[in-house]
Amino acid sequence: MLFRKPQLIKTYILEIAIGVLEGSLFFIPTVLVGAQGLSYAAAGLIAALGAIMFVVVIPASGRALDRIGSKNVLLVGTLLTEIGLAIFAIGFRSLPLSILSMIVAGCGFGALLGAPTRFIVTNETDESTRATAVGLLSQALIAGQILGGSLAGGIISIATSELTGYHNAYLAFAGVALLALVITATLANDGVWGTQRLAIKHRH
């Protein structure tokens, strides 16, 4: 039943991709230490910029769902994440570019994680299957995180040098973000209508 709706199938695939992208964050401090010779404390602070932007953007992302729709929120999120990871892939040797990439990618993740995909799944399912559908969404995210870690580890391990491995790994993550952007572009937009439809479901 859940996998008969194209909107749901695309959303689950997108959630896996988001999980892969989230996995890219785990390696940021290690990359900064290896590429720039920073201490782990300093590298952790730079990586934390992404988390700070994530926290700042999440409330705005939630408010935007009803105004511009889940598709548009996800489009902004995937685009910013792709730009941020691409900047990091080519500029992780530079402290200013690393900081810029964390800010941009952090804003992207703030728009991607949590509400938008859950919003779609909730709107696309009946009350009898909603809990299962949301649970599968969480499993898709976890699977993506595992894949993301494996992807980076595999690419880094086969590279001719550590820095080349980091470069290739984050180019690959930027490619996944581009794929997520393409998938998002094919989604139907829920927006305010999705909220109204959900309200109608609850009344019945």
Side-chain angles (χ1 to χ4, degrees), residues 96-152:
L97 286 179
S98 297
I99 292 173
L100 175 62
S101 69
M102 289 300 96
I103 293 172
V104 176
C107 289
F109 278 109
L112 286 180
L113 292 169
T117 51
R118 190 179 297 267
F119 185 88
I120 294 172
V121 168
T122 302
N123 285 335
E124 290 292 324
T125 52
D126 297 322
E127 188 174 350
S128 60
T129 59
R130 192 165 297 142
T132 300
V134 173
L136 285 174
L137 194 65
S138 298
Q139 293 300 313
L141 183 65
I142 293 170
Q145 292 168 346
I146 295 170
L147 286 173
S150 300
L151 173 66

Side-chain angles (χ1 to χ4, degrees), residues 10-23:
K10 293 174 186 176
T11 302
Y12 287 125
I13 295 173
L14 178 60
E15 191 75 358
I16 292 172
I18 292 171
V20 171
L21 295 174
E22 192 176 4

